[in-house]
Amino acid sequence: MPCKHGSVQPHTLRVFRTVAEHGSITAAARTLRYTQSAVSRQIAALEADMGCPLFDRLPRGVALTEHGRCLLGHATAVLDRLDTARRDMAALRDLTAGRLRVGAFPTAVAALVPRALATFRSDHPDVALSLVEGLTSGLLERLVDGDADVAVLSAAPDQPLDSERVDLHHLLDEALLVAVPRTHRLARRRTVRLRELADDAFIAGSATAEETLLRATLPTGFRPRIDIVAAEWTGKLGCVAAGLGVALVPALAVRAAPPDLALLRVHPDDASVRRIFAATVAGRSRPPAVRRFLTHLDTAAAGLR
């Protein structure tokens, strides 16, 4: 009788392998905790599906036919691969394997993200971690392109994030501070109005303030004088400490501030906040590692408020 091909279910292959191992439908049924008739029906259905006799029925037990011996090797390989797949997927679910690729904007790397990564690694040491720092616009592209699993992003009040491309998990709202030298006339103040700094030079990331934090946070009509441009926060704050000017500092960057400068609160009438989010690609399920990492980010964010 020529063999034909049909759809074979894994549980049917498991029954077939058990019968082959025991050489008996009765013994296989006992091992599988099935009835003998249920096992017989499974074998009969598999033989009908394959179009080949798989066992010779003997007075005592069964014996594999040539076709049965051929199928047994393939069945064992398929079942072993499925068992391996189940173990691998369980490891991903239980966070005993896998990876987590995190993107974050620079000031989030000062404290927020490292704290979350540290506690996550402590709880799940077998998950491989990686971190890439970048600007929000670039991180969005990395996220959508599949080069990151989650990205910590910032959004200025007048520049909301593209919620059609990403799902947003709000972490905190970040206020602005003003960094001034310890010798500054306002250094002993707790709160300052920005107009009081009209005569001060600002240290900023852009001479035009169009691609820097200043653009989204200064009140209407306020035009800072920018003498020195420094891209990194260590450079900005170093210039402030040296008395070369003042700088607007996001609260997340405070840990990088040297001790020889003062940090003043911006008056509520002038204050503007950045919203900080953890973003994942819209419409895609979040892997277990990402879901768990979000809880660590929430805890780290709560400690920074």
Side-chain angles (χ1 to χ4, degrees):
M1 176 171 57
C3 289
K4 63 181 180 180
H5 301 287
S7 58
V8 178
Q9 299 300 317
H11 71 271
T12 304
L13 290 179
R14 202 172 297 278
V15 170
F16 164 72
R17 185 175 66 176
T18 305
V19 173
E21 289 172 348
H22 287 80
S24 166
I25 289 177
T26 300
R30 190 161 48 246
T31 298
L32 295 167
R33 297 185 178 179
Y34 291 168
T35 65
Q36 182 175 338
S37 60
V39 172
S40 294
R41 286 195 299 272
Q42 291 266 16
I43 296 300
L46 181 59
E47 290 178 322
D49 196 25
M50 300 300 294
C52 308
L54 302 174
F55 292 102
D56 289 324
R57 274 66 173 175
L58 307 175
R60 291 188 176 182
V62 296
L64 286 167
T65 65
E66 189 69 19
H67 291 122
R69 282 191 290 272
C70 176
L71 179 62
L72 180 60
H74 294 294
T76 298
V78 168
L79 293 172
D80 287 348
R81 288 298 298 271
L82 285 174
D83 287 342
T84 299
R86 290 189 182 96
R87 287 194 298 271
D88 289 348
M89 289 189 291
L92 292 176
R93 182 188 65 237
D94 299 335
L95 299 180
T96 55
R99 67 181 183 183
L100 177 65
R101 300 168 301 166
V102 180
F105 65 95
T107 51
V109 181
L112 172 62
V113 173
R115 289 184 184 184
L117 285 172
T119 56
F120 180 92
R121 171 170 280 175
S122 177
D123 288 350
H124 311 291
D126 297 318
V127 177
L129 298 180
S130 64
L131 172 64
V132 61
E133 180 184 299
L135 300 179
T136 287
S137 57
L139 292 173
L140 270 173
E141 297 308 315
R142 292 181 70 96
L143 189 65
V144 173
D145 290 343
D147 295 328
D149 301 309
V150 60
V152 178
L153 311 175
S154 64
D158 64 342
Q159 297 173 323
L161 295 170
D162 186 354
S163 58
E164 292 186 358
R165 300 174 71 194
V166 293
D167 290 328
L168 300 174
H169 178 87
H170 181 249
L171 295 172
L172 73 158
D173 291 335
E174 180 190 37
L176 279 178
L177 306 172
V178 179
V180 301
R182 287 284 182 189
T183 57
H184 194 274
R185 68 188 185 282
L186 301 176
R188 294 183 179 276
R189 294 268 297 275
R190 296 184 63 185
T191 303
V192 65
R193 297 299 300 262
L194 291 179
R195 65 171 177 264
E196 296 178 90
L197 300 169
D199 295 331
D200 287 90
F202 275 73
I203 314 298
S206 166
T208 62
E210 291 180 355
E211 295 181 358
T212 181
L213 191 63
L214 297 180
R215 178 177 178 270
T217 56
L218 294 180
T220 302
F222 186 93
R223 292 292 180 268
R225 187 178 90 248
I226 299 172
D227 291 344
I228 295 176
V229 173
E232 301 297 331
W233 282 108
T234 51
K236 288 186 180 75
L237 297 176
C239 289
V240 173
L244 296 174
V246 301
L248 285 172
V249 181
L252 290 179
V254 166
R255 288 180 63 87
D260 48 353
L261 55 76
L263 295 169
L264 316 178
R265 293 180 181 274
V266 177
H267 190 279
D269 290 347
D270 295 341
S272 180
V273 298
R274 291 194 303 178
R275 305 200 75 198
I276 310 302
F277 298 94
T280 54
V281 179
R284 298 184 191 173
S285 60
R286 291 170 174 168
V290 170
R291 294 199 302 270
R292 192 67 57 85
F293 182 61
L294 291 179
T295 67
H296 287 268
L297 279 172
D298 284 336
T299 301
L304 293 171
R305 290 192 182 102

